[in-house]
């Protein structure tokens, strides 16, 4: 298993990134704000329109360092992608699976099992830790509905049927999401999932977390030789990393949702960390993104035991571990894809 390295977050929107030898140099006009050795990094995330030099992007791509660009408001713009890694036969096998609904659904089913299993775990965690503060009846009801949904996944015979099952399960899960918010309820009241754009604080931070997690999944898939843009459940669409979205499904409840609930319930993120635009869109402001990424990086360093591999690893390596298992399954080394089932 590889080692978890650092992620460099560039939050100052007037910065430009350049390459100096084996170092990333961050400049604001003529002023140098920082210098970071490339060998210590695995990701660079920039919230600046000025971007980076072609030489730096090439150096990052050559070293398999992910580089993603966002607007200063946190809207995803682009990823720098270098040469392909791994075996061309692996990617050809991936494409053949993607073109065959019967083969695709076998992978998609396990990923959705993982999502619903982990969604239920998140609800059960709240019931276990805060039963005296929450609506236990509603939470238990939805937990049971999600449990009863799991066998239906196995009998689904078409991708559209599976997507329908997943959509209904997600509606049930989010119907009690507000019950898992224990503090700052006036500022973080969840009523409905709004995406493009997010229309309140809770949707803004959820969307932001999902975007970051999707980027981590895309980088992980690329690093094991898979094409993050060719998925099994999410259909082909220009510019959409469909396989990264597939892989992210099972990780949303445990890596993103629980993380966000912790930020809110511990009051690390507050209403002052958001800004509302004229079109009513809500985004994390600069201070909010700094708090998010500081907590995110610390969370990624926490040690867990992978439920399938039985190996100790950092949370931040879980997308890589799942991408590796997916690649092994496509190669035929593993009989079926083992989703990440957190316990």
């Amino acid at each position: 298993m590889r080692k978890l390295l650092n992620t460099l977050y560039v939050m100052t929107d007037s910065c430009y990134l350049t390459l100096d030898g084996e170092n990333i140099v961050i400049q604001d006009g003529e002023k140098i704000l920082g210098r970071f050795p490339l060998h210590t990094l695995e990701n660079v995330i920039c919230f600046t329109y000025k971007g980076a030099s072609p030489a730096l992007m090439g150096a990052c791509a050559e070293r398999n360092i992910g580089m993603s660009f966002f607007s200063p408001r946190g809207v995803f713009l682009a990823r720098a992608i270098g040469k392909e890694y791994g075996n061309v036969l692996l990617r050809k096998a991936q494409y053949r699976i993607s073109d065959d609904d019967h083969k695709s659904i076998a992978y998609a089913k396990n990923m959705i099992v993982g999502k619903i299993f982990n969604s239920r775990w998140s609800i059960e965690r709240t019931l276990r830790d805060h039963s005296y503060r929450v609506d236990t009846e509603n939470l238990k009801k939805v937990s049971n509905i999600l449990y009863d949904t799991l066998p239906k996944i196995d009998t689904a015979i078409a991708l559209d049927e599976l997507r329908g099952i997943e959509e209904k399960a997600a509606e049930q899960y989010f119907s009690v999401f507000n019950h898992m918010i224990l503090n700052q309820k006036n500022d973080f009241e969840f009523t409905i999932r709004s995406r493009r754009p997010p229309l309140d604080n809770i949707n803004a931070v959820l969307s932001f977390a999902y975007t970051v997690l999707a980027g981590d999944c895309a980088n992980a898939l690329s690093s094991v030789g898979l094409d993050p843009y060719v998925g099994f459940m999410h259909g082909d669409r220009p510019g959409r990393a469909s396989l990264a979205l597939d892989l992210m499904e099972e990780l949303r409840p445990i890596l993103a949702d629980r993380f966000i609930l912790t930020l809110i319930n511990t009051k690390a993120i507050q209403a002052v960390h958001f800004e509302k635009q004229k079109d009513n869109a809500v985004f994390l402001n600069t201070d909010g993104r700094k708090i998010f990424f500081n907590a995110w990086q610390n969370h990624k360093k926490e040690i867990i035991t992978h439920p399938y591999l039985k190996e100790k690893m950092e949370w931040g390596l879980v997308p890589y571990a799942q991408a590796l298992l997916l690649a092994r399954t496509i190669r035929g080394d593993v009989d079926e894809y083992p989703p990440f089932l957190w316990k």
Side-chain angles (χ1 to χ4, degrees):
M1 190 60 65
R2 73 177 188 180
K3 182 180 178 181
L4 179 66
L5 299 177
N6 296 313
T7 298
L8 174 62
Y9 301 101
V10 182
M11 311 296 293
T12 306
D13 58 16
S14 57
C15 283
Y16 182 69
L17 282 65
T18 61
L19 179 68
D20 181 17
E22 291 293 310
N23 299 284
I24 292 179
V25 177
I26 303 175
Q27 293 179 276
D28 189 355
E30 298 298 319
K31 185 178 180 181
I32 294 179
L33 300 182
R35 183 185 297 268
F36 301 89
L38 287 170
H39 73 270
T40 66
L41 300 173
E42 67 175 3
N43 279 304
V44 180
I45 298 180
C46 306
F47 293 84
T48 168
Y49 283 126
K50 289 193 174 181
S53 70
L56 175 59
M57 288 190 283
C60 287
E62 183 179 354
R63 292 161 178 79
N64 200 27
I65 299 172
M67 179 171 273
S68 301
F69 297 93
F70 295 77
S71 75
R73 293 192 310 177
V75 178
F76 175 75
L77 299 174
R79 276 197 321 127
I81 301 173
K83 57 187 178 184
E84 295 286 356
Y85 289 82
N87 192 318
V88 66
L89 298 179
L90 173 64
R91 291 190 294 279
K92 289 181 72 174
Q94 175 192 351
Y95 300 152
R96 286 193 291 269
I97 293 169
S98 179
D99 286 337
D100 186 329
D101 284 358
H102 179 71
K103 292 180 179 179
S104 289
I105 198 172
Y107 289 85
K109 281 181 178 181
N110 286 9
M111 291 170 173
I112 298 307
V113 164
K115 179 178 183 177
I116 295 176
F117 183 96
N118 292 329
S119 297
R120 185 170 181 267
W121 175 89
S122 182
I123 293 172
E124 291 292 328
R125 173 70 181 271
T126 299
L127 282 168
R128 187 191 73 189
D129 294 348
H130 305 286
S131 60
Y132 62 97
R133 299 183 60 184
V134 298
D135 185 343
T136 57
E137 184 178 348
N138 266 332
L139 286 169
K140 287 179 179 178
K141 177 183 175 182
V142 170
S143 177
N144 290 334
I145 291 173
L146 294 180
Y147 180 80
D148 292 339
T149 299
L150 291 171
K152 299 177 182 177
I153 296 171
D154 188 52
T155 60
I157 60 175
L159 283 170
D160 282 344
E161 181 184 358
L162 181 64
R163 294 183 186 110
I165 293 171
E166 183 275 330
E167 183 178 356
K168 290 179 180 178
E171 288 174 358
Q172 288 293 328
Y173 170 68
F174 278 116
S175 73
V176 294
F177 196 79
N178 200 52
H179 295 306
M180 295 188 279
I181 300 172
L182 306 177
N183 294 314
Q184 307 187 87
K185 283 186 169 290
N186 290 336
D187 296 322
F188 291 94
E189 182 181 6
F190 184 89
T191 54
I192 191 171
R193 183 78 179 102
S194 57
R195 298 172 177 82
R196 301 182 185 88
L199 299 176
D200 53 39
N201 295 344
I202 183 65
N203 276 290
V205 72
L206 279 173
S207 291
F208 191 79
Y210 292 160
T211 300
V212 172
L213 181 56
D216 286 350
C217 290
N219 291 336
L221 290 163
S222 295
S223 73
V224 300
L226 292 169
D227 187 339
Y229 288 87
V230 180
F232 301 145
M233 180 168 172
H234 290 82
D236 295 339
R237 184 183 298 174
R240 182 169 76 175
S242 295
L243 189 62
L245 296 180
D246 288 349
L247 186 67
M248 183 175 73
E249 291 292 355
E250 67 202 68
L251 303 179
R252 283 182 194 246
I254 49 169
L255 261 178
D257 297 351
R258 292 304 307 185
F259 173 73
I260 293 307
L261 288 169
T262 298
L263 287 184
I264 294 169
N265 290 334
T266 60
K267 301 183 180 180
I269 287 281
Q270 301 179 23
V272 296
H273 299 129
F274 296 83
E275 58 184 41
K276 193 171 187 177
Q277 307 298 311
K278 290 181 179 179
D279 61 355
N280 293 321
V282 178
F283 298 97
L284 275 170
N285 60 26
T286 300
D287 288 340
R289 292 195 297 271
K290 288 179 180 178
I291 291 169
F292 177 98
F293 282 127
N294 182 61
W296 181 251
Q297 198 64 16
N298 289 334
H299 179 54
K300 286 170 69 174
K301 293 176 182 177
E302 294 174 7
I303 303 296
I304 65 161
T305 299
H306 192 285
Y308 177 80
L309 297 172
K310 307 301 180 185
E311 294 181 13
K312 290 188 179 298
M313 65 180 67
E314 296 97 336
W315 265 118
L317 286 178
V318 170
Y320 171 77
Q322 293 307 118
L324 195 60
L325 287 169
L326 181 59
R328 290 175 179 173
T329 308
I330 292 172
R331 288 193 190 99
D333 299 332
V334 179
D335 289 338
E336 61 176 317
Y337 171 69
F340 188 89
L341 305 177
W342 188 232
K343 300 176 182 179

